[in-house]
């Protein structure tokens, strides 16, 4: 919450506590410990700026009806030196507080004076968080689900950062295991075909055009040099050539999408440094494994999972879960992150219980691993499902999506709904330059304010420091509603961080733009009343700065004209 709201709530809590103590001393309330109570901002401003449930919370302690308790408290409240204008008892016993003009003026000054830092807090101070997201297999291009996961993961990391956490972004590269073996097989077959060998591509291999392109380029460089080599030598040469190109391609596409990772972590390092073997050996030593039909099983059912899982197949090759366990142990123990957040697709619902079971067996607090489960994306155009790119006629990947729609629209629209809800991404809406497009609507509000301030400047009116008396004149319902909403940004960011839901921030900035347009349509900013003009320009500046801070957090452009 904003500094002013926090201070006001503390003041009201103290004010109510003093009033209760006075009521007890006078005999209006019986002797008792003061119960826990809350002070909150009502959803409807008709119920005041703040409301307390102290009377209902104290009914059992004071053995009186809540309204009688509320009256006893109100009879002993002192307004001296506070920003409270009035208070009243409502409903079953709520005490509603209405704040004086100075309260709103202080909120505005806090917003403007905080500048780029407005909305930030130290809520998560001292907590190290690792957000791992996208982590697409490096065997092919990123699909549309990765586009949503990228926007959600990157914006969540920004929200956590604004809430005071020490945040790092990470991409986990699956450069070992079954998918790399399949990648090698696919490259080998296409290469041998180019060498004139009569060989068919296995049905379960990768049949994409990217495999054919890699094989052709490799053949142009090396000719049939590897045609008669051992399969191991040939496959290694092909993977050593193609895999780095794919990884670089992933990095380049994500940078284009404004995502820059702090670390690209390779699965192969876990095999090479002995971490994978250590996991198997340690789980064995702890008595949490057994052998069945030649395979090694982990007793996951004893640690909260619905069934046991295979660690090592009968052929001696570990399953994918083992390096993943080693990876999460590396996050939480080796590198010491307090919280590990995985942004995962909907098909990973069973993954987290398995991983938590293994971490528990290794002696960790498994609640430190937190998933953000993301539902599927459906691309639509004119209400119809779309699977092919309009430009290329090929399946839509992250890269082809960004050829069709602006990056601002992609990042913003993918964050319009909470991760665990299905997402219909409207390709037509994404390119629409009208108020129907949410990102355009918000950007336009910022540009409109810049235009107002620019035109005022051309008339010789500078937005400058404004007196308290001038700011206190911002007392219409539209102005008060806008100022109250501005005050809620810090709290909204903290709530978003706690819920791992960056969509709350996109909703907040859309609502802020709506409230600004409502204010602008109801009142002239620049008028013959110089004092009121300065106050309204100050309010416009506060809204402009707040929109900018949010769009910067979401890595969306902040235009000054449109």
């Amino acid at each position: 919450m904003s500094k002013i709201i926090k201070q006001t709530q503390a003041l009201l809590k103290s004010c109510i506590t003093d009033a209760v103590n006075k009521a007890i001393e006078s005999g209006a309330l019986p002797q008792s410990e003061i119960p826990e109570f809350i002070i909150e901002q009502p959803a409807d401003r008709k119920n005041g700026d703040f409301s307390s449930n102290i009377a209902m919370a104290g009914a059992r302690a004071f053995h009186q009806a809540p309204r009688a308790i509320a009256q006893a408290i109100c009879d002993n409240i002192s307004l001296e030196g506070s920003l409270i204008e009035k208070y009243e008892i409502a409903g079953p016993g709520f005490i509603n507080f209405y704040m004086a003009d100075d309260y709103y003026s202080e909120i505005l000054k806090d917003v403007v004076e905080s500048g780029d830092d407005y909305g930030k807090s130290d809520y998560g101070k001292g907590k190290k968080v690792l957000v791992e997201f996208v982590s697409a297999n490096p065997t092919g291009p990123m699909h549309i689900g990765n586009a949503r996961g990228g926007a959600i993961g990157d914006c969540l990391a920004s929200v956590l950062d604004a809430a005071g956490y020490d945040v790092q972004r990470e991409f986990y590269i699956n450069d070992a295991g079954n998918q790399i073996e399949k990648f090698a097989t696919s490259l080998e077959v296409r290469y041998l075909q180019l060498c004139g060998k009569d060989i068919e591509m296995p049905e379960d291999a990768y049949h994409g055009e990217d495999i054919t392109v890699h094989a052709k380029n490799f053949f142009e460089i090396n000719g049939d040099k590897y045609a008669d080599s051992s399969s191991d030598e040939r496959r290694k040469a092909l993977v050593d050539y193609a895999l780095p190109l794919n990884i670089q391609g992933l990095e380049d596409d994500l940078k284009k999408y404004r995502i820059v990772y702090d670390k690209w972590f390779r699965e192969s390092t876990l095999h090479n440094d002995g971490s994978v073997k250590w996991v198997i050996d340690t789980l064995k030593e702890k008595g949490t494994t057994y052998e069945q039909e030649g395979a090694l099983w982990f007793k996951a059912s004893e640690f909260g999972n619905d069934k046991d899982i295979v660690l090592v197949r009968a052929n001696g090759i570990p399953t994918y879960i083992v390096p993943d366990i080693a990876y999460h142990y590396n996050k939480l123990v080796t590198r010491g992150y307090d919280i590990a957040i995985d942004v995962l697709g909907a098909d990973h619902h069973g993954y987290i219980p398995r991983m938590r079971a293994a971490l528990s067996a290794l002696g960790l607090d498994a609640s430190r691993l937190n998933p953000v489960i993301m539902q599927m994306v459906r691309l639509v155009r004119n209400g119809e499902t779309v699977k092919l790119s309009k430009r290329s006629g090929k399946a839509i990947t992250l890269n082809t999506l960004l050829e069709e729609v602006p990056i601002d629209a992609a990042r913003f629209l993918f964050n319009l709904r909470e991760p665990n809800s299905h997402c219909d991404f409207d390709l037509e809406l994404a390119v629409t330059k009208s108020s129907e497009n949410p990102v355009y609507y918000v950007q336009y509000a910022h540009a409109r304010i810049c235009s107002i301030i620019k035109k005022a400047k051309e008339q010789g009116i500078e937005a400058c420091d404004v007196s308290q008396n001038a700011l206190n004149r911002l007392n219409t319902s539209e102005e008060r509603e806008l100022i109250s909403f501005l005050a809620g940004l810090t709290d909204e960011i903290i709530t978003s961080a706690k819920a791992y839901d960056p969509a709350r921030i996109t909703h907040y900035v859309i609502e802020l733009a709506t409230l600004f347009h409502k204010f602008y349509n109801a009142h002239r900013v620049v008028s013959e009343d110089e004092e009121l003009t300065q106050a309204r320009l100050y309010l416009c500046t506060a809204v402009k700065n707040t929109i900018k801070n949010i769009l910067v957090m979401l890595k969306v452009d902040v235009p000054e004209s449109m």
Side-chain angles (χ1 to χ4, degrees):
M1 63 189 71
S2 81
K3 180 172 66 178
I4 306 305
I5 291 179
K6 199 171 183 179
Q7 289 172 350
T8 304
Q9 287 184 323
L11 173 113
L12 288 172
K13 194 140 199 170
S14 175
C15 183
I16 290 170
T17 301
D18 288 346
V20 172
N21 285 327
K22 286 179 184 176
I24 290 172
E25 287 171 16
S26 69
L29 290 175
Q31 285 286 341
S32 176
E33 281 192 24
I34 300 175
E36 287 292 319
F37 63 95
I38 60 171
I39 296 166
E40 60 186 356
Q41 294 178 285
D44 188 344
R45 287 192 64 252
K46 290 176 184 175
N47 296 323
D49 295 295
F50 294 93
S51 183
S52 178
N53 70 338
I54 176 64
M56 282 81 79
R60 181 175 293 179
F62 298 124
H63 306 291
Q64 291 185 19
R67 283 191 70 93
I69 296 168
Q71 189 60 59
I73 294 169
C74 287
D75 289 343
N76 287 278
I77 288 177
S78 171
L79 298 183
E80 191 176 343
S82 75
L83 293 174
I84 304 168
E85 186 175 85
K86 65 174 184 174
Y87 51 88
E88 63 185 23
I89 301 167
F94 287 105
I95 303 177
N96 295 338
F97 297 88
Y98 298 81
M99 306 308 292
D101 293 340
D102 283 358
Y103 165 76
Y104 291 93
S105 303
E106 290 299 324
I107 288 173
L108 270 188
K109 286 195 282 187
D110 181 35
V111 175
V112 174
E113 289 170 8
S114 296
D116 293 345
D117 289 331
Y118 183 66
K120 295 179 181 177
S121 70
D122 60 0
Y123 174 81
K125 188 177 180 180
K127 290 273 183 76
K128 284 179 64 182
V129 180
L130 185 67
V131 183
E132 182 220 327
F133 58 104
V134 179
S135 297
N137 278 337
T139 52
M142 283 175 287
H143 54 70
I144 202 67
N146 299 137
R148 187 185 190 197
I152 290 172
D154 199 38
C155 292
L156 173 58
S158 294
V159 167
L160 289 163
D161 182 63
Y165 291 90
D166 178 3
V167 184
Q168 298 278 296
R169 295 164 171 83
E170 186 157 289
F171 189 111
Y172 181 57
I173 308 171
N174 291 114
D175 64 339
N178 186 53
Q179 72 278 358
I180 297 300
E181 291 302 313
K182 190 186 289 189
F183 185 54
T185 297
S186 309
L187 290 167
E188 182 179 37
V189 170
R190 289 295 183 230
Y191 171 70
L192 289 175
Q193 287 173 345
L194 291 168
C195 293
K197 305 278 187 180
D198 184 15
I199 182 171
E200 282 191 20
M201 180 73 83
E203 200 171 310
D204 65 343
Y206 297 127
H207 292 252
E209 186 186 346
D210 54 307
I211 297 292
T212 302
V213 170
H214 279 318
K216 281 181 179 176
N217 291 338
F218 182 83
F219 183 80
E220 284 178 13
I221 296 168
N222 297 287
D224 62 0
K225 174 182 173 183
Y226 291 94
D228 297 316
S229 299
S230 69
S231 180
D232 285 349
E233 183 184 354
R234 183 167 52 244
R235 290 161 69 90
K236 184 180 185 306
L238 282 159
V239 170
D240 286 351
Y241 164 76
L243 191 60
L245 293 175
N246 275 11
I247 294 170
Q248 188 60 54
L250 294 176
E251 188 169 356
D252 292 344
D253 288 348
L254 287 162
K255 278 182 179 176
K256 182 180 177 184
Y257 200 30
R258 300 175 188 157
I259 297 174
V260 177
Y261 288 91
D262 296 290
K263 187 174 181 63
W264 289 69
F265 191 104
R266 289 176 175 267
E267 179 189 340
S268 56
T269 62
L270 299 166
H271 294 270
N272 298 336
D273 69 7
S275 296
V276 171
K277 183 178 183 301
W278 179 87
V279 165
I280 295 167
D281 292 345
T282 304
L283 290 174
K284 277 183 180 179
E285 288 168 12
K286 289 180 176 288
T288 61
T289 64
Y290 62 90
E291 289 194 18
Q292 184 175 300
E293 297 178 357
L296 183 70
W297 291 70
F298 165 52
K299 299 175 184 176
S301 57
E302 294 183 5
F303 296 91
N305 196 47
D306 58 350
K307 58 184 178 181
D308 294 344
I309 54 178
V310 178
L311 292 178
V312 183
R313 301 179 186 91
N315 61 8
I317 299 174
T319 59
Y320 79 91
I321 199 77
V322 182
D324 280 11
I325 296 167
Y327 176 47
H328 285 90
Y329 188 89
N330 178 280
K331 291 180 184 181
L332 296 169
V333 179
T334 309
R335 289 186 282 162
Y337 286 97
D338 297 292
I339 301 168
I341 299 172
D342 291 359
V343 180
L344 302 167
D347 56 343
H348 283 69
H349 264 292
Y351 177 82
I352 292 297
R354 292 195 294 271
M355 195 55 54
R356 283 180 171 163
L359 293 174
S360 295
L362 291 171
L364 277 72
D365 174 4
S367 68
R368 291 163 58 197
L369 171 60
N370 292 293
V372 173
I373 300 295
M374 178 188 68
Q375 294 297 330
M376 299 293 290
V377 177
R378 186 173 76 105
L379 294 175
V380 296
R381 184 183 281 121
N382 298 323
E384 298 292 325
T385 301
V386 176
K387 292 187 177 179
L388 298 179
S389 166
K390 206 172 185 179
R391 292 189 183 186
S392 66
K394 297 173 185 174
I396 297 182
T397 62
L398 170 62
N399 211 13
T400 54
L401 176 74
L402 298 183
E403 289 173 1
E404 294 205 17
V405 305
I407 296 169
D408 288 342
R411 291 184 62 95
F412 198 93
L413 294 178
F414 277 131
N415 269 299
L416 262 186
R417 304 192 66 180
E418 64 173 325
N420 201 25
S421 62
H422 287 278
C423 173
D424 279 359
F425 188 96
D426 191 327
L427 292 164
E428 290 295 321
L429 180 65
V431 297
T432 301
K433 293 184 177 180
S434 75
S435 60
E436 292 178 8
N437 183 344
V439 67
Y440 183 91
Y441 180 70
V442 171
Q443 289 174 321
Y444 179 72
H446 183 271
R448 171 179 262 183
I449 297 171
C450 290
S451 175
I452 292 167
I453 293 171
K454 183 182 177 184
K455 285 178 181 175
K457 194 173 182 180
E458 289 169 356
Q459 295 175 38
I461 306 168
E462 293 272 3
C464 58
D465 288 337
V466 186
S467 70
Q468 190 86 8
N469 287 338
L471 292 177
N472 286 349
R473 293 183 63 189
L474 299 172
N475 54 19
T476 67
S477 61
E478 292 84 9
E479 288 161 336
R480 287 286 170 91
E481 191 176 17
L482 188 50
I483 295 168
S484 290
F485 196 76
L486 284 170
L489 175 60
T490 309
D491 210 29
E492 197 64 48
I493 289 173
I494 291 170
T495 303
S496 177
K498 287 160 70 175
Y500 300 155
D501 181 15
R504 296 184 67 99
I505 304 304
T506 51
H507 294 161
Y508 176 92
V509 76
I510 290 168
E511 180 65 17
L512 178 58
T514 299
L515 291 175
F516 173 75
H517 291 310
K518 181 180 175 183
F519 152 75
Y520 181 78
N521 292 332
H523 305 286
R524 287 183 63 193
V525 175
V526 179
S527 67
E528 293 177 2
D529 187 331
E530 187 177 336
E531 185 180 64
L532 187 57
T533 295
Q534 287 288 356
R536 284 180 173 162
L537 283 172
Y538 196 85
L539 172 58
C540 286
T541 300
V543 176
K544 176 180 74 73
N545 291 358
T546 303
I547 292 175
K548 177 188 173 185
N549 287 356
I550 294 170
L551 293 183
V552 167
M553 188 191 312
L554 300 174
K555 294 183 188 171
V556 169
D557 286 340
V558 191
E560 296 191 359
S561 62
M562 291 177 74

